Amino acid sequence: MRVHRRVLFRGSAVAVLAAATTLAATAAAPGGPPAPSGGGSAQPPPVPCPKDATCGTITVPLDRGNPALGTIQIAYALVSRRNKDRPSAGTIAVNPGGPGGSAIGSAAGFVKAVGDLLDDHDLLLMDPRGIGNSGWLDCDVRKDVLTLRGEALSRELGRCARSIGDRRRFYTSAAVADDLDDLRAHLRLPRLKLLGLSYGTYLMTVYAQRHPEHVDSIVLSGAYPLAFDPWKRPNAEALRRGYRLVCERGGCDARRVLGDLRRLAGRLRHRPIPYEVTVNGERRRAQLDETALAAIVNGAGDQSNVKAWGTIPGYVREALDGRPERLIELARETLFSSPDITKAGRLFSLAAQVAVVCNDYPKGFDMRAPDDVRERQYRERRDALPAWQFAPFSAAAWTYGYSEPEWCLHWPDRSDRTQSTARPVTNAPVLALSGDLDLNTAPGEGVEAARQFRNARLVKVPFSGHVPTGEPTGCAISIARHFLRDHTTGDTGCLKDVPPVGPAPAALPATR
């Protein structure tokens, strides 16, 4: 998800898109196979083959249940171990999240992340179907789609889906997991060490569910379970718990912080504040309303924005005092941070992302129903939930700020198919890492993600947001590397060195 475009979907759509846009702007000369479009006009260049990697493709069925429907090319990059004098200690297969992000396009980041494991391990980067060089999936959608809200957004994504055509139903996590296993077999690898970030934790769990015998070990960073709550109640609890933690460490009053948020949310629900913003060179009118406030708060859960836990309360108090200027500026930065989706090129596919979400994820309505019935079911089921579970916001504002299901209200397929939530039957060791200030994949969801496996360990990373292996000290990623090497976490004492997140000067009231 989510009004806040960084957290539109599991895996931080706008964070993925923003990173992809940066990579696209600095990419070297392209290389790799061409890919068909799903409805867009211009074709961006392929993702370049990473430095020191061997790149290739394999051919897989579009639908393994009906091979007559044709095939798709799946692209990969293999970065070989530095020490070739000895046999490989294993192959690490990675996914950057999204869904929609290119693994091949994220090669430099993963090379840095695995660090000295590359001395004796190989690194496998596969672009999921519809992404990057794996038949990049485009759709007919306006370039500023991620700045839209409400009905305009869900209808635009419905138009995107219709332009893809019937093949949209073949873009699922199960299909990607099977593609990865076909690639494993093609490369003659007995087993894989799996590293998934955000949505990648979901995908790697699906892989373990479908191919347990081929899993050596798994690291899940920013983890959430297959059977997650579509109403995002654990994430609202994470917000309340998060401010208790911040204030416990920083000497502020969490009850007052949450009370200020509740009061401003109620005020904006009835009296939104208008403002103007420039989008792609054009002035646009916008509103700072309750859903926008929820989106801004949600953004603090990103690792790149985790310090906002300390600054937002001060902005909220200023707005309550009639001075909303800094909060409005934060709304501009948050809600309009990705005004042109085309800049990411093939490093990100919104079409593939929405297809996975609408094919796989649990919904708050019956996907077999007509659109108007879906909308009514969604509202009625949401409004029947206890209001306190969404505090300090209303259910409508919180679920809109996070809701994947709302994006599927106009999905054309009338099917109740979703991804199986059966637990993987594997004894492979699993490490789940959760940031205790993560509002995208909440700490409670990390607990549930670990419980899916027979042999799992959960590590909570303090003062960290979404995808905690990105925290600044390198402690969390060193724990992940240790686990991939020998299936233990090693010494986790370095977690105490993660820098604290506390109130900005004069932002929070002192505890009385």
Side-chain angles (χ1 to χ4, degrees), residues 146-170:
L146 293 183
T147 69
L148 300 179
R149 300 176 64 183
E151 181 69 5
L153 176 59
S154 60
R155 287 197 178 277
E156 188 71 8
L157 294 178
R159 186 165 71 90
C160 167
R162 289 189 294 275
S163 74
I164 298 171
D166 289 343
R167 72 182 185 275
R168 61 182 170 261
R169 64 183 183 272
F170 305 124

mmCIF file with all atom_site columns, all heavy atoms in Angstrom, residues 146-170:
data_model
loop_
_atom_site.group_PDB
_atom_site.id
_atom_site.type_symbol
_atom_site.label_atom_id
_atom_site.label_alt_id
_atom_site.label_comp_id
_atom_site.label_asym_id
_atom_site.label_entity_id
_atom_site.label_seq_id
_atom_site.pdbx_PDB_ins_code
_atom_site.Cartn_x
_atom_site.Cartn_y
_atom_site.Cartn_z
_atom_site.occupancy
_atom_site.B_iso_or_equiv
_atom_site.pdbx_formal_charge
_atom_site.auth_seq_id
_atom_site.auth_comp_id
_atom_site.auth_asym_id
_atom_site.auth_atom_id
_atom_site.pdbx_PDB_model_num
ATOM 1   N N   . LEU A 1 146 ? 0.193   6.615   -9.137  1.00 0.00 ? 146 LEU A N   1
ATOM 2   C CA  . LEU A 1 146 ? 0.489   6.452   -7.708  1.00 0.00 ? 146 LEU A CA  1
ATOM 3   C C   . LEU A 1 146 ? 0.278   7.730   -6.905  1.00 0.00 ? 146 LEU A C   1
ATOM 4   O O   . LEU A 1 146 ? 0.529   7.745   -5.698  1.00 0.00 ? 146 LEU A O   1
ATOM 5   C CB  . LEU A 1 146 ? 1.909   5.935   -7.517  1.00 0.00 ? 146 LEU A CB  1
ATOM 6   C CG  . LEU A 1 146 ? 2.150   4.508   -8.017  1.00 0.00 ? 146 LEU A CG  1
ATOM 7   C CD1 . LEU A 1 146 ? 3.575   4.072   -7.718  1.00 0.00 ? 146 LEU A CD1 1
ATOM 8   C CD2 . LEU A 1 146 ? 1.160   3.532   -7.406  1.00 0.00 ? 146 LEU A CD2 1
ATOM 9   N N   . THR A 1 147 ? -0.214  8.779   -7.561  1.00 0.00 ? 147 THR A N   1
ATOM 10  C CA  . THR A 1 147 ? -0.619  9.974   -6.829  1.00 0.00 ? 147 THR A CA  1
ATOM 11  C C   . THR A 1 147 ? -2.135  10.058  -6.697  1.00 0.00 ? 147 THR A C   1
ATOM 12  O O   . THR A 1 147 ? -2.642  10.984  -6.057  1.00 0.00 ? 147 THR A O   1
ATOM 13  C CB  . THR A 1 147 ? -0.117  11.259  -7.527  1.00 0.00 ? 147 THR A CB  1
ATOM 14  O OG1 . THR A 1 147 ? -0.824  11.445  -8.765  1.00 0.00 ? 147 THR A OG1 1
ATOM 15  C CG2 . THR A 1 147 ? 1.371   11.179  -7.807  1.00 0.00 ? 147 THR A CG2 1
ATOM 16  N N   . LEU A 1 148 ? -2.865  9.105   -7.292  1.00 0.00 ? 148 LEU A N   1
ATOM 17  C CA  . LEU A 1 148 ? -4.322  9.116   -7.226  1.00 0.00 ? 148 LEU A CA  1
ATOM 18  C C   . LEU A 1 148 ? -4.797  8.538   -5.904  1.00 0.00 ? 148 LEU A C   1
ATOM 19  O O   . LEU A 1 148 ? -4.053  7.854   -5.202  1.00 0.00 ? 148 LEU A O   1
ATOM 20  C CB  . LEU A 1 148 ? -4.917  8.319   -8.390  1.00 0.00 ? 148 LEU A CB  1
ATOM 21  C CG  . LEU A 1 148 ? -4.567  8.800   -9.801  1.00 0.00 ? 148 LEU A CG  1
ATOM 22  C CD1 . LEU A 1 148 ? -5.212  7.896   -10.836 1.00 0.00 ? 148 LEU A CD1 1
ATOM 23  C CD2 . LEU A 1 148 ? -4.989  10.245  -10.001 1.00 0.00 ? 148 LEU A CD2 1
ATOM 24  N N   . ARG A 1 149 ? -6.070  8.782   -5.607  1.00 0.00 ? 149 ARG A N   1
ATOM 25  C CA  . ARG A 1 149 ? -6.635  8.305   -4.357  1.00 0.00 ? 149 ARG A CA  1
ATOM 26  C C   . ARG A 1 149 ? -8.030  7.766   -4.598  1.00 0.00 ? 149 ARG A C   1
ATOM 27  O O   . ARG A 1 149 ? -8.701  8.102   -5.568  1.00 0.00 ? 149 ARG A O   1
ATOM 28  C CB  . ARG A 1 149 ? -6.692  9.437   -3.326  1.00 0.00 ? 149 ARG A CB  1
ATOM 29  C CG  . ARG A 1 149 ? -5.350  10.032  -2.991  1.00 0.00 ? 149 ARG A CG  1
ATOM 30  C CD  . ARG A 1 149 ? -5.482  11.215  -2.043  1.00 0.00 ? 149 ARG A CD  1
ATOM 31  N NE  . ARG A 1 149 ? -6.031  10.809  -0.753  1.00 0.00 ? 149 ARG A NE  1
ATOM 32  C CZ  . ARG A 1 149 ? -6.300  11.667  0.217   1.00 0.00 ? 149 ARG A CZ  1
ATOM 33  N NH1 . ARG A 1 149 ? -6.094  12.961  0.045   1.00 0.00 ? 149 ARG A NH1 1
ATOM 34  N NH2 . ARG A 1 149 ? -6.782  11.236  1.370   1.00 0.00 ? 149 ARG A NH2 1
ATOM 35  N N   . GLY A 1 150 ? -8.451  6.860   -3.703  1.00 0.00 ? 150 GLY A N   1
ATOM 36  C CA  . GLY A 1 150 ? -9.836  6.411   -3.653  1.00 0.00 ? 150 GLY A CA  1
ATOM 37  C C   . GLY A 1 150 ? -10.320 5.744   -4.924  1.00 0.00 ? 150 GLY A C   1
ATOM 38  O O   . GLY A 1 150 ? -9.623  4.946   -5.557  1.00 0.00 ? 150 GLY A O   1
ATOM 39  N N   . GLU A 1 151 ? -11.550 6.107   -5.317  1.00 0.00 ? 151 GLU A N   1
ATOM 40  C CA  . GLU A 1 151 ? -12.195 5.484   -6.467  1.00 0.00 ? 151 GLU A CA  1
ATOM 41  C C   . GLU A 1 151 ? -11.407 5.700   -7.746  1.00 0.00 ? 151 GLU A C   1
ATOM 42  O O   . GLU A 1 151 ? -11.320 4.810   -8.602  1.00 0.00 ? 151 GLU A O   1
ATOM 43  C CB  . GLU A 1 151 ? -13.609 6.048   -6.616  1.00 0.00 ? 151 GLU A CB  1
ATOM 44  C CG  . GLU A 1 151 ? -14.416 5.461   -7.758  1.00 0.00 ? 151 GLU A CG  1
ATOM 45  C CD  . GLU A 1 151 ? -14.822 4.011   -7.547  1.00 0.00 ? 151 GLU A CD  1
ATOM 46  O OE1 . GLU A 1 151 ? -14.551 3.470   -6.453  1.00 0.00 ? 151 GLU A OE1 1
ATOM 47  O OE2 . GLU A 1 151 ? -15.411 3.418   -8.469  1.00 0.00 ? 151 GLU A OE2 1
ATOM 48  N N   . ALA A 1 152 ? -10.794 6.895   -7.890  1.00 0.00 ? 152 ALA A N   1
ATOM 49  C CA  . ALA A 1 152 ? -10.008 7.162   -9.096  1.00 0.00 ? 152 ALA A CA  1
ATOM 50  C C   . ALA A 1 152 ? -8.860  6.175   -9.230  1.00 0.00 ? 152 ALA A C   1
ATOM 51  O O   . ALA A 1 152 ? -8.559  5.680   -10.328 1.00 0.00 ? 152 ALA A O   1
ATOM 52  C CB  . ALA A 1 152 ? -9.485  8.593   -9.072  1.00 0.00 ? 152 ALA A CB  1
ATOM 53  N N   . LEU A 1 153 ? -8.223  5.858   -8.118  1.00 0.00 ? 153 LEU A N   1
ATOM 54  C CA  . LEU A 1 153 ? -7.103  4.917   -8.137  1.00 0.00 ? 153 LEU A CA  1
ATOM 55  C C   . LEU A 1 153 ? -7.562  3.499   -8.451  1.00 0.00 ? 153 LEU A C   1
ATOM 56  O O   . LEU A 1 153 ? -6.985  2.827   -9.316  1.00 0.00 ? 153 LEU A O   1
ATOM 57  C CB  . LEU A 1 153 ? -6.383  4.957   -6.793  1.00 0.00 ? 153 LEU A CB  1
ATOM 58  C CG  . LEU A 1 153 ? -5.241  3.962   -6.604  1.00 0.00 ? 153 LEU A CG  1
ATOM 59  C CD1 . LEU A 1 153 ? -4.160  4.173   -7.651  1.00 0.00 ? 153 LEU A CD1 1
ATOM 60  C CD2 . LEU A 1 153 ? -4.653  4.068   -5.205  1.00 0.00 ? 153 LEU A CD2 1
ATOM 61  N N   . SER A 1 154 ? -8.591  3.011   -7.752  1.00 0.00 ? 154 SER A N   1
ATOM 62  C CA  . SER A 1 154 ? -9.027  1.628   -7.972  1.00 0.00 ? 154 SER A CA  1
ATOM 63  C C   . SER A 1 154 ? -9.557  1.436   -9.388  1.00 0.00 ? 154 SER A C   1
ATOM 64  O O   . SER A 1 154 ? -9.347  0.378   -9.998  1.00 0.00 ? 154 SER A O   1
ATOM 65  C CB  . SER A 1 154 ? -10.064 1.215   -6.927  1.00 0.00 ? 154 SER A CB  1
ATOM 66  O OG  . SER A 1 154 ? -11.204 2.033   -6.985  1.00 0.00 ? 154 SER A OG  1
ATOM 67  N N   . ARG A 1 155 ? -10.214 2.451   -9.947  1.00 0.00 ? 155 ARG A N   1
ATOM 68  C CA  . ARG A 1 155 ? -10.699 2.329   -11.333 1.00 0.00 ? 155 ARG A CA  1
ATOM 69  C C   . ARG A 1 155 ? -9.546  2.350   -12.329 1.00 0.00 ? 155 ARG A C   1
ATOM 70  O O   . ARG A 1 155 ? -9.566  1.639   -13.338 1.00 0.00 ? 155 ARG A O   1
ATOM 71  C CB  . ARG A 1 155 ? -11.699 3.442   -11.643 1.00 0.00 ? 155 ARG A CB  1
ATOM 72  C CG  . ARG A 1 155 ? -13.048 3.234   -10.964 1.00 0.00 ? 155 ARG A CG  1
ATOM 73  C CD  . ARG A 1 155 ? -14.144 4.074   -11.579 1.00 0.00 ? 155 ARG A CD  1
ATOM 74  N NE  . ARG A 1 155 ? -15.417 3.797   -10.935 1.00 0.00 ? 155 ARG A NE  1
ATOM 75  C CZ  . ARG A 1 155 ? -16.210 2.781   -11.249 1.00 0.00 ? 155 ARG A CZ  1
ATOM 76  N NH1 . ARG A 1 155 ? -15.852 1.940   -12.215 1.00 0.00 ? 155 ARG A NH1 1
ATOM 77  N NH2 . ARG A 1 155 ? -17.351 2.593   -10.621 1.00 0.00 ? 155 ARG A NH2 1
ATOM 78  N N   . GLU A 1 156 ? -8.535  3.145   -12.051 1.00 0.00 ? 156 GLU A N   1
ATOM 79  C CA  . GLU A 1 156 ? -7.368  3.175   -12.938 1.00 0.00 ? 156 GLU A CA  1
ATOM 80  C C   . GLU A 1 156 ? -6.651  1.828   -12.948 1.00 0.00 ? 156 GLU A C   1
ATOM 81  O O   . GLU A 1 156 ? -6.208  1.340   -13.992 1.00 0.00 ? 156 GLU A O   1
ATOM 82  C CB  . GLU A 1 156 ? -6.415  4.284   -12.501 1.00 0.00 ? 156 GLU A CB  1
ATOM 83  C CG  . GLU A 1 156 ? -5.257  4.539   -13.452 1.00 0.00 ? 156 GLU A CG  1
ATOM 84  C CD  . GLU A 1 156 ? -5.677  5.192   -14.756 1.00 0.00 ? 156 GLU A CD  1
ATOM 85  O OE1 . GLU A 1 156 ? -6.849  5.600   -14.877 1.00 0.00 ? 156 GLU A OE1 1
ATOM 86  O OE2 . GLU A 1 156 ? -4.816  5.289   -15.656 1.00 0.00 ? 156 GLU A OE2 1
ATOM 87  N N   . LEU A 1 157 ? -6.569  1.184   -11.783 1.00 0.00 ? 157 LEU A N   1
ATOM 88  C CA  . LEU A 1 157 ? -5.926  -0.122  -11.722 1.00 0.00 ? 157 LEU A CA  1
ATOM 89  C C   . LEU A 1 157 ? -6.789  -1.194  -12.373 1.00 0.00 ? 157 LEU A C   1
ATOM 90  O O   . LEU A 1 157 ? -6.270  -2.164  -12.944 1.00 0.00 ? 157 LEU A O   1
ATOM 91  C CB  . LEU A 1 157 ? -5.617  -0.483  -10.268 1.00 0.00 ? 157 LEU A CB  1
ATOM 92  C CG  . LEU A 1 157 ? -4.575  0.418   -9.605  1.00 0.00 ? 157 LEU A CG  1
ATOM 93  C CD1 . LEU A 1 157 ? -4.373  0.014   -8.152  1.00 0.00 ? 157 LEU A CD1 1
ATOM 94  C CD2 . LEU A 1 157 ? -3.251  0.387   -10.353 1.00 0.00 ? 157 LEU A CD2 1
ATOM 95  N N   . GLY A 1 158 ? -8.120  -1.037  -12.305 1.00 0.00 ? 158 GLY A N   1
ATOM 96  C CA  . GLY A 1 158 ? -8.992  -1.939  -13.044 1.00 0.00 ? 158 GLY A CA  1
ATOM 97  C C   . GLY A 1 158 ? -8.773  -1.808  -14.541 1.00 0.00 ? 158 GLY A C   1
ATOM 98  O O   . GLY A 1 158 ? -8.764  -2.805  -15.270 1.00 0.00 ? 158 GLY A O   1
ATOM 99  N N   . ARG A 1 159 ? -8.569  -0.587  -15.020 1.00 0.00 ? 159 ARG A N   1
ATOM 100 C CA  . ARG A 1 159 ? -8.276  -0.366  -16.437 1.00 0.00 ? 159 ARG A CA  1
ATOM 101 C C   . ARG A 1 159 ? -6.936  -0.983  -16.806 1.00 0.00 ? 159 ARG A C   1
ATOM 102 O O   . ARG A 1 159 ? -6.784  -1.586  -17.887 1.00 0.00 ? 159 ARG A O   1
ATOM 103 C CB  . ARG A 1 159 ? -8.269  1.139   -16.716 1.00 0.00 ? 159 ARG A CB  1
ATOM 104 C CG  . ARG A 1 159 ? -8.126  1.503   -18.196 1.00 0.00 ? 159 ARG A CG  1
ATOM 105 C CD  . ARG A 1 159 ? -8.505  2.951   -18.416 1.00 0.00 ? 159 ARG A CD  1
ATOM 106 N NE  . ARG A 1 159 ? -7.539  3.875   -17.880 1.00 0.00 ? 159 ARG A NE  1
ATOM 107 C CZ  . ARG A 1 159 ? -6.512  4.346   -18.570 1.00 0.00 ? 159 ARG A CZ  1
ATOM 108 N NH1 . ARG A 1 159 ? -6.294  3.944   -19.822 1.00 0.00 ? 159 ARG A NH1 1
ATOM 109 N NH2 . ARG A 1 159 ? -5.683  5.205   -18.026 1.00 0.00 ? 159 ARG A NH2 1
ATOM 110 N N   . CYS A 1 160 ? -5.969  -0.868  -15.906 1.00 0.00 ? 160 CYS A N   1
ATOM 111 C CA  . CYS A 1 160 ? -4.672  -1.514  -16.103 1.00 0.00 ? 160 CYS A CA  1
ATOM 112 C C   . CYS A 1 160 ? -4.861  -3.018  -16.309 1.00 0.00 ? 160 CYS A C   1
ATOM 113 O O   . CYS A 1 160 ? -4.322  -3.607  -17.244 1.00 0.00 ? 160 CYS A O   1
ATOM 114 C CB  . CYS A 1 160 ? -3.777  -1.239  -14.908 1.00 0.00 ? 160 CYS A CB  1
ATOM 115 S SG  . CYS A 1 160 ? -2.277  -2.238  -14.781 1.00 0.00 ? 160 CYS A SG  1
ATOM 116 N N   . ALA A 1 161 ? -5.656  -3.638  -15.426 1.00 0.00 ? 161 ALA A N   1
ATOM 117 C CA  . ALA A 1 161 ? -5.866  -5.086  -15.497 1.00 0.00 ? 161 ALA A CA  1
ATOM 118 C C   . ALA A 1 161 ? -6.533  -5.499  -16.804 1.00 0.00 ? 161 ALA A C   1
ATOM 119 O O   . ALA A 1 161 ? -6.152  -6.498  -17.424 1.00 0.00 ? 161 ALA A O   1
ATOM 120 C CB  . ALA A 1 161 ? -6.710  -5.537  -14.308 1.00 0.00 ? 161 ALA A CB  1
ATOM 121 N N   . ARG A 1 162 ? -7.522  -4.732  -17.229 1.00 0.00 ? 162 ARG A N   1
ATOM 122 C CA  . ARG A 1 162 ? -8.214  -5.084  -18.485 1.00 0.00 ? 162 ARG A CA  1
ATOM 123 C C   . ARG A 1 162 ? -7.280  -4.976  -19.680 1.00 0.00 ? 162 ARG A C   1
ATOM 124 O O   . ARG A 1 162 ? -7.377  -5.760  -20.626 1.00 0.00 ? 162 ARG A O   1
ATOM 125 C CB  . ARG A 1 162 ? -9.436  -4.189  -18.669 1.00 0.00 ? 162 ARG A CB  1
ATOM 126 C CG  . ARG A 1 162 ? -10.572 -4.503  -17.693 1.00 0.00 ? 162 ARG A CG  1
ATOM 127 C CD  . ARG A 1 162 ? -11.839 -3.762  -18.048 1.00 0.00 ? 162 ARG A CD  1
ATOM 128 N NE  . ARG A 1 162 ? -11.687 -2.325  -17.892 1.00 0.00 ? 162 ARG A NE  1
ATOM 129 C CZ  . ARG A 1 162 ? -11.850 -1.661  -16.738 1.00 0.00 ? 162 ARG A CZ  1
ATOM 130 N NH1 . ARG A 1 162 ? -12.174 -2.342  -15.638 1.00 0.00 ? 162 ARG A NH1 1
ATOM 131 N NH2 . ARG A 1 162 ? -11.707 -0.356  -16.677 1.00 0.00 ? 162 ARG A NH2 1
ATOM 132 N N   . SER A 1 163 ? -6.348  -4.019  -19.635 1.00 0.00 ? 163 SER A N   1
ATOM 133 C CA  . SER A 1 163 ? -5.420  -3.868  -20.761 1.00 0.00 ? 163 SER A CA  1
ATOM 134 C C   . SER A 1 163 ? -4.408  -5.006  -20.817 1.00 0.00 ? 163 SER A C   1
ATOM 135 O O   . SER A 1 163 ? -3.890  -5.326  -21.893 1.00 0.00 ? 163 SER A O   1
ATOM 136 C CB  . SER A 1 163 ? -4.704  -2.515  -20.675 1.00 0.00 ? 163 SER A CB  1
ATOM 137 O OG  . SER A 1 163 ? -3.716  -2.508  -19.658 1.00 0.00 ? 163 SER A OG  1
ATOM 138 N N   . ILE A 1 164 ? -4.115  -5.629  -19.677 1.00 0.00 ? 164 ILE A N   1
ATOM 139 C CA  . ILE A 1 164 ? -3.209  -6.786  -19.678 1.00 0.00 ? 164 ILE A CA  1
ATOM 140 C C   . ILE A 1 164 ? -3.847  -7.958  -20.402 1.00 0.00 ? 164 ILE A C   1
ATOM 141 O O   . ILE A 1 164 ? -3.192  -8.710  -21.116 1.00 0.00 ? 164 ILE A O   1
ATOM 142 C CB  . ILE A 1 164 ? -2.843  -7.196  -18.235 1.00 0.00 ? 164 ILE A CB  1
ATOM 143 C CG1 . ILE A 1 164 ? -2.111  -6.065  -17.524 1.00 0.00 ? 164 ILE A CG1 1
ATOM 144 C CG2 . ILE A 1 164 ? -1.983  -8.461  -18.230 1.00 0.00 ? 164 ILE A CG2 1
ATOM 145 C CD1 . ILE A 1 164 ? -1.896  -6.305  -16.043 1.00 0.00 ? 164 ILE A CD1 1
ATOM 146 N N   . GLY A 1 165 ? -5.157  -8.116  -20.225 1.00 0.00 ? 165 GLY A N   1
ATOM 147 C CA  . GLY A 1 165 ? -5.863  -9.225  -20.861 1.00 0.00 ? 165 GLY A CA  1
ATOM 148 C C   . GLY A 1 165 ? -5.914  -10.459 -19.972 1.00 0.00 ? 165 GLY A C   1
ATOM 149 O O   . GLY A 1 165 ? -5.542  -10.427 -18.792 1.00 0.00 ? 165 GLY A O   1
ATOM 150 N N   . ASP A 1 166 ? -6.336  -11.564 -20.551 1.00 0.00 ? 166 ASP A N   1
ATOM 151 C CA  . ASP A 1 166 ? -6.579  -12.785 -19.770 1.00 0.00 ? 166 ASP A CA  1
ATOM 152 C C   . ASP A 1 166 ? -5.317  -13.342 -19.129 1.00 0.00 ? 166 ASP A C   1
ATOM 153 O O   . ASP A 1 166 ? -5.404  -14.061 -18.128 1.00 0.00 ? 166 ASP A O   1
ATOM 154 C CB  . ASP A 1 166 ? -7.203  -13.859 -20.671 1.00 0.00 ? 166 ASP A CB  1
ATOM 155 C CG  . ASP A 1 166 ? -8.636  -13.537 -21.040 1.00 0.00 ? 166 ASP A CG  1
ATOM 156 O OD1 . ASP A 1 166 ? -9.238  -12.674 -20.356 1.00 0.00 ? 166 ASP A OD1 1
ATOM 157 O OD2 . ASP A 1 166 ? -9.150  -14.125 -22.005 1.00 0.00 ? 166 ASP A OD2 1
ATOM 158 N N   . ARG A 1 167 ? -4.147  -13.031 -19.671 1.00 0.00 ? 167 ARG A N   1
ATOM 159 C CA  . ARG A 1 167 ? -2.930  -13.612 -19.102 1.00 0.00 ? 167 ARG A CA  1
ATOM 160 C C   . ARG A 1 167 ? -2.603  -13.063 -17.720 1.00 0.00 ? 167 ARG A C   1
ATOM 161 O O   . ARG A 1 167 ? -1.690  -13.562 -17.048 1.00 0.00 ? 167 ARG A O   1
ATOM 162 C CB  . ARG A 1 167 ? -1.751  -13.420 -20.045 1.00 0.00 ? 167 ARG A CB  1
ATOM 163 C CG  . ARG A 1 167 ? -1.212  -12.009 -20.169 1.00 0.00 ? 167 ARG A CG  1
ATOM 164 C CD  . ARG A 1 167 ? -0.069  -11.994 -21.188 1.00 0.00 ? 167 ARG A CD  1
ATOM 165 N NE  . ARG A 1 167 ? 0.588   -10.708 -21.281 1.00 0.00 ? 167 ARG A NE  1
ATOM 166 C CZ  . ARG A 1 167 ? 0.173   -9.708  -22.033 1.00 0.00 ? 167 ARG A CZ  1
ATOM 167 N NH1 . ARG A 1 167 ? -0.951  -9.822  -22.716 1.00 0.00 ? 167 ARG A NH1 1
ATOM 168 N NH2 . ARG A 1 167 ? 0.855   -8.573  -22.090 1.00 0.00 ? 167 ARG A NH2 1
ATOM 169 N N   . ARG A 1 168 ? -3.338  -12.030 -17.267 1.00 0.00 ? 168 ARG A N   1
ATOM 170 C CA  . ARG A 1 168 ? -3.080  -11.475 -15.935 1.00 0.00 ? 168 ARG A CA  1
ATOM 171 C C   . ARG A 1 168 ? -3.217  -12.533 -14.844 1.00 0.00 ? 168 ARG A C   1
ATOM 172 O O   . ARG A 1 168 ? -2.585  -12.431 -13.790 1.00 0.00 ? 168 ARG A O   1
ATOM 173 C CB  . ARG A 1 168 ? -4.025  -10.302 -15.654 1.00 0.00 ? 168 ARG A CB  1
ATOM 174 C CG  . ARG A 1 168 ? -5.487  -10.682 -15.676 1.00 0.00 ? 168 ARG A CG  1
ATOM 175 C CD  . ARG A 1 168 ? -6.409  -9.499  -15.439 1.00 0.00 ? 168 ARG A CD  1
ATOM 176 N NE  . ARG A 1 168 ? -7.789  -9.882  -15.702 1.00 0.00 ? 168 ARG A NE  1
ATOM 177 C CZ  . ARG A 1 168 ? -8.447  -9.631  -16.832 1.00 0.00 ? 168 ARG A CZ  1
ATOM 178 N NH1 . ARG A 1 168 ? -7.852  -8.965  -17.816 1.00 0.00 ? 168 ARG A NH1 1
ATOM 179 N NH2 . ARG A 1 168 ? -9.690  -10.022 -17.000 1.00 0.00 ? 168 ARG A NH2 1
ATOM 180 N N   . ARG A 1 169 ? -4.030  -13.559 -15.056 1.00 0.00 ? 169 ARG A N   1
ATOM 181 C CA  . ARG A 1 169 ? -4.245  -14.556 -14.004 1.00 0.00 ? 169 ARG A CA  1
ATOM 182 C C   . ARG A 1 169 ? -3.061  -15.503 -13.832 1.00 0.00 ? 169 ARG A C   1
ATOM 183 O O   . ARG A 1 169 ? -3.032  -16.297 -12.886 1.00 0.00 ? 169 ARG A O   1
ATOM 184 C CB  . ARG A 1 169 ? -5.514  -15.361 -14.278 1.00 0.00 ? 169 ARG A CB  1
ATOM 185 C CG  . ARG A 1 169 ? -5.500  -16.214 -15.523 1.00 0.00 ? 169 ARG A CG  1
ATOM 186 C CD  . ARG A 1 169 ? -6.850  -16.906 -15.698 1.00 0.00 ? 169 ARG A CD  1
ATOM 187 N NE  . ARG A 1 169 ? -6.900  -17.801 -16.835 1.00 0.00 ? 169 ARG A NE  1
ATOM 188 C CZ  . ARG A 1 169 ? -7.221  -17.446 -18.062 1.00 0.00 ? 169 ARG A CZ  1
ATOM 189 N NH1 . ARG A 1 169 ? -7.507  -16.174 -18.322 1.00 0.00 ? 169 ARG A NH1 1
ATOM 190 N NH2 . ARG A 1 169 ? -7.240  -18.313 -19.053 1.00 0.00 ? 169 ARG A NH2 1
ATOM 191 N N   . PHE A 1 170 ? -2.059  -15.419 -14.713 1.00 0.00 ? 170 PHE A N   1
ATOM 192 C CA  . PHE A 1 170 ? -0.900  -16.307 -14.632 1.00 0.00 ? 170 PHE A CA  1
ATOM 193 C C   . PHE A 1 170 ? 0.279   -15.662 -13.903 1.00 0.00 ? 170 PHE A C   1
ATOM 194 O O   . PHE A 1 170 ? 1.357   -16.263 -13.824 1.00 0.00 ? 170 PHE A O   1
ATOM 195 C CB  . PHE A 1 170 ? -0.472  -16.756 -16.023 1.00 0.00 ? 170 PHE A CB  1
ATOM 196 C CG  . PHE A 1 170 ? -1.583  -17.405 -16.798 1.00 0.00 ? 170 PHE A CG  1
ATOM 197 C CD1 . PHE A 1 170 ? -1.955  -16.926 -18.045 1.00 0.00 ? 170 PHE A CD1 1
ATOM 198 C CD2 . PHE A 1 170 ? -2.278  -18.479 -16.271 1.00 0.00 ? 170 PHE A CD2 1
ATOM 199 C CE1 . PHE A 1 170 ? -2.986  -17.514 -18.746 1.00 0.00 ? 170 PHE A CE1 1
ATOM 200 C CE2 . PHE A 1 170 ? -3.316  -19.072 -16.970 1.00 0.00 ? 170 PHE A CE2 1
ATOM 201 C CZ  . PHE A 1 170 ? -3.675  -18.587 -18.214 1.00 0.00 ? 170 PHE A CZ  1
#
